[in-house]
Amino acid sequence: MRIIAGLWGGRPIAAPEGTATRPTTDRVREAWMSAIATAIPGARVLDLFAGSGALGLEALSRGADHVTFVENSQAALRPLRKNIATLAAGDRVTVVRMNAMRFVSSLNEDAFDLVLADPPYGQGLAKELADIFFERRFARLLCVEHGRRDPLPERPALRSRRYGDTVLTFIQLEP
């Protein structure tokens, strides 16, 4: 794995070992970042289900001010912390070990500018996250990676892009 563009473009990053974490492919991550490019500079970003931190670190590399990483797995936290140290990004990040759904349930409205979420496929977490967001808009823009077989409810504020079995859904609610 590597950072694709920006300040750290081309720099390698570590991924969690084993199959418990499914890293976002470079192709999908590039498409994701291109789709939200104007929202990144100066943003307060939340990276949910952070895993290696690739999404949040990519956002930092492209000009985000600060990223809060939320990850519950100790096995994923080791490479995440290693990646933060390797890129000397420690002063621009916060790492929270917590269940991501419990974390967002405690957020105030507009707590973040941008949320990047890559929940495990097939567990209904993408839909649950979107439902919480529709109840209490905790960011200006919510971006969720989910499986093709894990559809989100049809709503006017949703726009989606499909990459094979992976779908990126962007939700932006009016203030």
Side-chain angles (χ1 to χ4, degrees):
M1 286 182 56
R2 66 185 175 92
I3 300 294
I4 296 168
L7 177 66
W8 302 313
R11 298 274 306 268
I13 56 174
E17 293 181 16
T19 59
T21 302
R22 174 197 35 78
T24 301
T25 65
D26 284 359
R27 177 178 169 253
V28 172
R29 197 163 8 104
E30 175 60 27
W32 195 337
M33 293 297 135
S34 293
I36 61 170
T38 60
I40 296 173
R44 296 166 298 135
V45 178
L46 174 60
D47 184 347
L48 293 171
F49 309 95
S52 67
L55 292 171
L57 293 169
E58 191 76 49
L60 278 176
S61 183
R62 294 170 186 242
D65 275 353
H66 188 272
V67 176
T68 299
F69 295 97
V70 178
E71 176 57 60
N72 203 32
S73 164
Q74 186 61 41
L77 285 169
R78 281 189 289 280
L80 170 60
R81 288 189 172 113
K82 178 182 178 186
N83 292 335
I84 291 166
T86 297
L87 299 172
D91 61 334
R92 297 173 58 202
V93 305
T94 302
V95 177
V96 178
R97 183 175 185 192
M98 180 185 275
N99 173 283
M101 302 312 290
R102 195 170 74 215
F103 184 85
V104 296
S105 293
S106 70
L107 292 176
N108 293 325
E109 218 171 273
D110 293 320
F112 291 90
D113 299 311
L114 175 62
V115 177
L116 309 172
D118 183 9
Y121 290 5
Q123 297 181 21
L125 294 171
K127 180 187 179 311
E128 184 180 343
L129 180 62
D131 288 343
I132 293 169
F133 186 71
F134 282 115
E135 288 174 18
R136 185 179 3 93
R137 189 189 68 154
F138 49 83
R140 288 187 294 162
L141 176 61
L142 171 64
C143 310
V144 183
E145 178 180 332
H146 55 96
R148 181 174 51 92
R149 292 185 174 94
D150 297 325
L152 296 184
E154 289 295 324
R155 289 255 176 92
L158 269 70
R159 60 186 171 90
S160 296
R161 297 180 180 183
R162 187 171 158 200
Y163 303 88
D165 285 336
T166 299
V167 179
L168 298 179
T169 297
F170 306 91
I171 308 170
Q172 190 160 18
L173 302 176
E174 295 298 320

